[in-house]
Structure formats: structure tokens, C-alpha cells
Amino acid sequence: MTEDNIKKFKSGQSINSYEFMGSHIASHKGKKGVSFMVWAPNAKRVYLSGEFNNWSVDSHPMTNLYNSGVWGIFIENLSEGEKYKYNVIGCDGVSRLKSDPYATFSELRPNTASVVYNLDGYEWSDNKWQECKSKKICDNEPMNIYEVNLGSWKRKWDGDFFSYEELYEMVYYAKDMGYTHIEIMPVTEYPLDMSWGYQTVGYYSPTSRHGKPNEFRKFVEKCHENNLGVILDFAYSHFCRDEHGLYKFDGSPQFEYSDPTKADNHGWGTAHFDLGKPEVNSFLLSNVLYWFKEFHIDGIRVDAVSSMLYLDYDGGDWKPNKYGGRENLEAIDFLKKLNETVYKYIKNPIIVAEESTAWPMVTGPTYKGALGFTYKWNMGWMNDTLKYMEMDPVYRKYHHELITFSFMYAFSENFILPLSHDEVVHGKKSLLDKMPGDTWQKFASLRLLYAYYMIHPGKKLLFMGSEFGQGLEWRYAYGLEWELLQIDPHIKMQDYVRDLNHMYKDDKALYEMDNTYEGFDFIDPHNNEQSVITIMRKGKKDKDFTIAVINFTPVVHYDYKIGVPCSGIYEEVFNSDDEKYWGSNQTMNGSELFSMNEKWHNKEHNITIKVPPLGVTFIKLKRELKDNE
């Protein structure tokens, strides 16, 4: 440990602090053992306590290195697997046994000790994936994300968790279903199951619920082997107040703000990181790179960005910033620095913001004034769409703008369309149960929702269980309702989502120009009386386009005329009402659709089609017609 490392850490410039902080297998003066280092600037004393000294709280004092507030000790003859904590005598004179903020492995809850774990020497086998990823630009690629909670995708009958290795089953499933990425709710170690991982203690420690860190590495490799990217959720906005965690680590507000109006997150009962403190910056910036470099993840989603950006976010007492505004200036600077750091050191990363307000320029490069994220969850689209879909179809014509307004701002940011875990918990009902009508109408409406979301500009995200029509809300303590896949409508819903996902991956028009108006044409947004809209998505090649006609009522429309961009023979390539998906089979049965040279919907040509009830038909150009045909 050099003084230069400590200076970088204390200046907020360290991006690899995990390489010297925490516990590490090491040699000192020819002796093998473990080095321990922890930041506790206001502590009166710090002791190492562990199995090796029968959890003595004062037998092994640590040294305040260079009077920096970083405390260190080397213990001979220790090895991997040793459990330990730090006994921190705070500035208030109180003794607290603390887990290691930089621990790379932790005991299974409810136990709270850190565990010495050697991450060195792992041989990765995903070179082919990494090479391929480095050449891809996400904007031009399909991105269809399967959001999962590892602890409740499946659960053993005795309540035990599936191991990382046993969860390979989920990887194979996601590949078969046609997803491109898996987004995992936080795997950073957390004490309380019902927090879903969003109230973290061990920011460097993959949760021991499913196994050891190298086993999680193998899980990531398995994803890459099956052409699935891995995105992890992180809660950099707040951390839990558990006694063994970061809260008042050295008896003072060390990781959190000293100002209680900024430190306390009243809504979640947690504490906010002091994002203006250099050492906290080093801790968090090193953390994000740690997961990219040490675990080969492909992206992160930063949770609750709005709670970071606004000083008055949770409605408690707050103080304006130095300019009199409500913006958290340190958080803005931190988020820009985080994104700049990732882009500097990681090739083609995915960095997603869950930002629920209209904060401008969340996505885009920081040198243009943006926050620097790759993508933002489109919460406005999600809220309007679900509000509309929950209505009885007879009333939808009076609220047509809910289903069309999102196209007015669809290219203001680089969006992901989220149908996430947040929409199927806490009394919100499952997506299937949100749909109105009888059982057939519920399933038809859900198929309709998924088809509409697939044709809409933006990348896609769907929470686990929704792909087969989970009946109950998501329950973190139980597995999904896999038994429903013995029932025909649910089997066919799963088949439908699989086919829809693969169609999306195979059709460049649906993703190749996601973030530009050049890739989109709203052929007819105005038919509110029949609650039908007609959309066209375009690829980069001329005549590569897909048209979707979307009917939000249970009425079949025969001889429905739509404008098309060129003279030709068209065909239906996908229909959500196909009987193989438990639909009413109002399809065009492979008919060739010849265009007419008559203006319609501001197009020079038109075709006449059949529009399915509570359904979507996807149409493509089969071949152009020449002048003499």
C-alpha cells in the first residue's frame, strides 16, 4: 500500500481502490497472509476481529496509515475463507462491529461477517463475446431485456435459493425465449430479502444467497456463451442503516451527508451517499468499474436517479442549493463523472437511468451538457400505456392521446420501454390482471400490449413471469407460477412472446433506427373513433420497413384501408390474434395484398386489410410492383 494510492483515494480520483482496500491475500516480509485496509477517518481506534482471534474486539489494533484515516493491518498465516469484521471505536466513543465496505464475499444473512475471498487467477472463457461486443454499437442492435430477480425466478420447495449454477436453467430459458439481455435486480449483498437488493450493505460482494463470487462469474460466462448480455441494477442513491453497514461507520456521517436534510431518505428509511465527498466518489467509481472488470458485466442500471438529482425528492425538509434551486449539484457532477469513467475504461458499455421526471438530457454525452447515460427508462410511456390499457375499450376513444402522445417525445432521449417489476407489485396487479374484460379479452389485450410495445421506438424490457401471463403479483419470497404452463392460454402466451421476441431480433426495421425520426412514420395516429393506430418502422436499407396496425377494441375491421409508401405486393408476417396464440384467428391467411395507386394517409398507395380484435397485424413488403404489372 503506497501513500500515492491513499492520496488518490482521498482526492476522489481512485478508480481501482478495491485493489488495495478491503482484504487481500498477500505477502509481507516473506510471510504469507492477508492484508486488511479500511477507511474510517474519524475513528479513535480500529481493531480487526475475526475467527482467527476468537472475535476479540481489541487484540489486533490497526494502524492509521500516514495519518490518512485509512487503517491497515497484515495478519500472517490467514487464508481464504476467514470471517472477519472491523471493531470501529467511533469519534463518539461507541464501539461498532462493522462489515468490510470492500468485502468481496459475505456471510449468508442473517449473519453479517465479511469473508476473505481471493478473486485473482480466474480464467475467463468469454473472449469471443467480448470481441464481438466491442465492435457493436448498442443503438443499432436489438435490445430485448428479461428483467429477473434471482431469488424468485424459481424457488425450492423448502424455501432455499437456487444456486448460480442451478440458475443456468434461467439462462437457457431466456435464450430460447429470444431475449438479448438479462437484467438482474441487485446482487450486491443485502440483509433484508424484502428490499429486493436495493438496500445494500456489500457493494463489492455478490450475494451469498446463490453461491460464491467465482460462481457468479461462471453465471455471467454462461450468459455470454448463450449470447445474452448481463445488466446489473445498482442503488447508488442510498444505502441501508443496518448497524453492521456503512451508516455512521466511524461514529460520524462518514459515507452519508452530515446535513440531515440531505442525509436522510425518509421514504425508504435509508441514507443518501454524500456524493460531494472525494472518498465516497472513489468508493463508488471504483465499484462500478469493479463489476465491469472483475465480473465482465455488460451494463448497469442506476436505480432511483430522480432521488439523487432533486434535494426535495421525498418531500421532507430540504435546503436550496447555492443558486437557490432544488437540484443536487454534487449528484449531477457525480453522475456525469460516473458515466465518463465507465465510457473511458469500458468498451461499449450500457448505462441505464431509472429517472422518473422530465429532467432534460439524461442520455447523451456529457460534453454536450447531458448526464451521460446510454439509455433512460421511459416512465411516461409506461404510465400512459398502462393507464390506457386498464380502461374498458369502450372508453378508450376518449383518451386516445394516452396511446399516441409518447411518439411526440420518443426521440428526445435514448429510451428503454419498461414493463418492470415495479408495475406488478404492491397492489398494482399482474400485467394480465390489469387487462379488462373476460379471460379471452385479458389474454388478447396482453398480446396487444406486447405487440404495441414491440413496434414502438425504444429498446424493450419485460419482467419475468409476464411472458407467460403470471396471474398473481410478483412475490419476492416465492417462485413464479410455473404451474400455469399446464394451462392452454398461458402456454400459448409464452409461445406468442417467444415468437414476438424472435421476430423483433430478426427484423432490422424494428430496432436499427430506434433513436431517430428517420426510422419512424406515424401513418395514421388520428383514428380515435375506432381506437386504431397505424405505425411504420424503418431500417437503414431502402424499402426495409414494417407496418403495424393496432386495434385497441374487440371489434374486427374488415376491408380496412391503410396508406403504404410504395407500389407492391404486401403480406402479413405476424398477427397477435392467430389461433396458435389463443386468438380468434382473424388473420389474412397468407393472402397477397396488392397495393392500389390511390393516395391514402398521405401516402401515394394503399392496401386493404383485415384488422384483428384487440390485436395487431404486422405487414411487410413482399416485393415491389413494376410499372407494367
Side-chain angles (χ1 to χ4, degrees):
M1 176 65 176
T2 66
E3 189 173 6
D4 185 57
N5 284 335
I6 291 179
K7 285 181 178 178
K8 280 188 175 180
F9 172 76
K10 290 182 67 63
S11 68
Q13 302 302 310
S14 181
I15 56 169
N16 64 338
S17 57
Y18 60 88
E19 293 181 355
F20 53 86
M21 300 291 281
S23 62
H24 294 273
I25 305 294
S27 296
H28 181 64
K29 295 181 180 180
K31 302 289 186 179
K32 293 183 178 180
V34 179
S35 69
F36 298 86
M37 291 183 190
V38 64
W39 174 55
N42 298 307
K44 292 182 177 180
R45 293 178 302 281
V46 181
Y47 299 90
L48 183 67
S49 178
E51 290 180 316
F52 74 98
N53 63 8
N54 294 315
W55 296 102
S56 169
V57 295
D58 58 8
S59 63
H60 286 75
M62 301 179 72
T63 301
N64 189 348
L65 302 170
Y66 310 106
N67 291 315
S68 63
V70 175
W71 301 74
I73 192 172
F74 177 81
I75 306 293
E76 296 178 12
N77 300 321
L78 289 191
S79 58
E80 190 173 48
E82 188 73 33
K83 297 176 183 178
Y84 69 98
K85 284 188 179 183
Y86 300 115
N87 180 29
V88 182
I89 312 301
C91 57
D92 54 2
V94 176
S95 173
R96 298 174 177 87
L97 275 174
K98 291 288 189 178
S99 300
D100 189 346
Y102 282 88
T104 54
F105 190 40
S106 306
E107 282 190 295
L108 178 63
R109 57 91 180 99
N111 297 323
T112 57
S114 301
V115 182
V116 175
Y117 193 87
N118 187 11
L119 288 171
D120 296 338
Y122 187 84
E123 295 185 8
W124 286 92
S125 61
D126 64 346
N127 293 341
K128 184 177 179 181
W129 168 268
Q130 297 297 342
E131 182 180 354
C132 183
K133 184 182 73 170
S134 70
K135 298 176 182 177
K136 290 182 178 179
I137 300 174
C138 294
D139 288 354
N140 302 330
E141 295 291 328
M143 183 179 291
N144 189 6
I145 303 165
Y146 188 51
E147 187 193 23
V148 299
N149 173 263
L150 294 183
S152 58
W153 185 74
K154 282 189 177 180
R155 200 69 167 261
K156 296 182 180 179
W157 289 111
D158 60 2
D160 279 354
F161 296 103
F162 274 54
S163 69
Y164 290 120
E165 184 175 1
E166 289 169 327
L167 285 165
Y168 293 172
E169 179 187 351
M170 186 263 288
V171 176
Y172 304 139
Y173 175 80
K175 177 185 179 181
D176 173 68
M177 288 297 296
Y179 291 101
T180 64
H181 295 75
I182 294 173
E183 180 172 323
I184 307 173
M185 293 163 67
V187 299
T188 44
E189 193 60 82
Y190 57 102
L192 184 65
D193 289 1
M194 69 174 60
S195 79
W196 315 335
Y198 291 102
Q199 295 191 14
T200 293
V201 166
Y203 278 84
Y204 287 81
S205 181
T207 178
S208 54
R209 287 167 174 81
H210 309 288
K212 296 180 179 180
N214 278 347
E215 291 166 347
F216 180 65
R217 281 170 157 171
K218 290 179 181 177
F219 174 84
V220 173
E221 277 189 310
K222 186 60 64 174
C223 291
H224 292 167
E225 182 183 311
N226 287 275
N227 293 315
L228 290 165
V230 178
I231 302 169
L232 297 186
D233 280 12
F234 288 90
Y236 290 145
S237 56
H238 65 124
F239 57 89
C240 64
R241 299 188 186 190
D242 291 57
E243 179 70 20
H244 66 285
L246 303 179
Y247 188 64
K248 292 192 175 178
F249 194 84
D250 63 4
S252 72
Q254 178 181 327
F255 285 89
E256 64 271 28
Y257 285 104
S258 57
D259 182 347
T261 66
K262 296 173 75 173
D264 296 332
N265 187 314
H266 299 287
W268 294 320
T270 54
H272 290 135
F273 281 108
D274 183 348
L275 298 174
K277 190 174 288 184
E279 297 91 342
V280 172
N281 272 240
S282 288
F283 176 75
L284 295 178
L285 294 176
S286 295
N287 183 248
V288 69
L289 288 182
Y290 166 80
W291 288 94
F292 277 104
K293 291 184 174 183
E294 297 296 330
F295 291 90
H296 285 204
I297 66 168
D298 304 286
I300 66 168
R301 183 191 73 109
V302 182
D303 183 63
V305 168
S306 299
S307 72
M308 303 170 73
L309 293 173
Y310 297 99
L311 296 168
D312 62 344
Y313 178 79
D314 64 0
D317 293 335
W318 65 282
K319 298 175 183 176
N321 63 36
K322 62 183 179 180
Y323 302 112
R326 56 196 281 255
E327 301 81 11
N328 186 332
L329 303 179
E330 306 99 82
I332 296 168
D333 289 343
F334 168 77
L335 289 170
K336 289 181 177 181
K337 190 187 298 184
L338 180 145
N339 292 326
E340 289 168 354
T341 300
V342 173
Y343 270 99
K344 182 176 180 180
Y345 293 100
I346 305 300
K347 186 70 173 178
N348 289 340
I350 299 166
I351 318 174
V352 184
E354 186 215 11
E355 202 288 303
S356 56
T357 73
W359 187 280
M361 298 178 70
V362 172
T363 60
T366 57
Y367 64 80
K368 290 186 176 180
L371 292 180
F373 287 94
T374 320
Y375 296 103
K376 172 184 174 177
W377 275 17
N378 192 337
M379 308 296 280
W381 170 87
M382 178 274 297
N383 284 314
D384 285 351
T385 299
L386 292 183
K387 182 177 180 180
Y388 182 84
M389 293 301 300
E390 289 181 75
M391 292 179 183
D392 188 306
V394 73
Y395 300 116
R396 287 176 178 167
K397 65 181 180 180
Y398 304 112
H399 303 276
H400 197 65
E401 73 285 351
L402 288 175
I403 214 68
T404 59
F405 178 65
S406 61
F407 295 98
M408 303 301 105
Y409 64 86
F411 309 104
S412 62
E413 300 272 13
N414 299 334
F415 282 122
I416 291 174
L417 308 181
L419 294 170
S420 75
H421 67 275
D422 275 332
E423 314 322 315
V424 294
V425 293
H426 298 324
K428 294 180 181 179
K429 299 190 282 191
S430 68
L431 291 184
L432 178 66
D433 203 26
K434 290 179 192 287
M435 303 298 114
D438 60 24
T439 300
W440 185 90
Q441 289 178 323
K442 283 179 179 290
F443 277 90
S445 293
L446 192 60
R447 295 193 303 271
L448 164 64
L449 169 63
Y450 293 159
Y452 164 68
Y453 132 106
M454 202 60 80
I455 196 70
H456 195 291
K459 307 306 183 185
K460 324 299 175 188
L461 179 142
L462 186 66
F463 185 58
M464 63 181 195
S466 300
E467 76 276 10
F468 60 79
Q470 171 103 350
L472 297 174
E473 292 175 345
W474 171 53
R475 304 162 299 167
Y476 70 88
Y478 302 92
L480 299 178
E481 293 181 280
W482 295 105
E483 64 273 13
L484 292 177
L485 289 174
Q486 301 175 36
I487 303 171
D488 201 41
H490 295 276
I491 296 171
K492 291 181 176 179
M493 175 61 75
Q494 185 189 53
D495 291 341
Y496 170 75
V497 172
R498 181 190 294 108
D499 290 352
L500 187 65
N501 287 349
H502 282 285
M503 182 191 73
Y504 167 72
K505 285 174 65 175
D506 294 340
D507 188 350
K508 291 185 177 181
L510 299 182
Y511 62 79
E512 202 170 38
M513 300 179 71
D514 246 343
N515 298 323
T516 171
Y517 278 107
E518 295 175 357
F520 173 78
D521 190 340
F522 216 153
I523 292 176
D524 180 23
H526 302 301
N527 188 359
N528 62 296
E529 191 62 34
Q530 292 178 303
S531 299
V532 176
I533 61 175
T534 305
I535 298 169
M536 181 166 67
R537 297 293 306 280
K538 295 182 281 186
K540 291 183 177 180
K541 290 184 178 180
D542 188 38
K543 304 299 186 298
D544 181 13
F545 57 84
T546 299
I547 296 171
V549 184
I550 309 170
N551 178 13
F552 292 98
T553 72
V555 178
V556 184
H557 299 296
Y558 301 96
D559 300 323
Y560 192 87
K561 191 182 294 188
I562 63 169
V564 293
C566 62
S567 175
I569 301 173
Y570 291 78
E571 62 179 341
E572 180 180 71
V573 295
F574 194 86
N575 190 315
S576 69
D577 194 48
D578 196 304
E579 63 182 352
K580 67 182 178 180
Y581 304 132
W582 213 56
S584 63
N585 212 38
Q586 296 295 328
T587 68
M588 284 174 271
N589 295 314
S591 300
E592 291 186 330
L593 307 169
F594 287 80
S595 66
M596 302 294 293
N597 295 324
E598 175 192 8
K599 282 190 175 182
W600 200 260
H601 293 151
N602 293 318
K603 303 297 180 188
E604 295 298 320
H605 314 275
N606 72 77
I607 58 175
T608 299
I609 66 171
K610 177 166 58 173
V611 183
L614 291 173
V616 182
T617 176
F618 289 80
I619 296 164
K620 289 189 76 72
L621 177 67
K622 189 173 183 179
R623 70 176 180 89
E624 286 190 85
L625 288 174
K626 298 178 182 178
D627 292 339
N628 60 352
E629 289 188 88

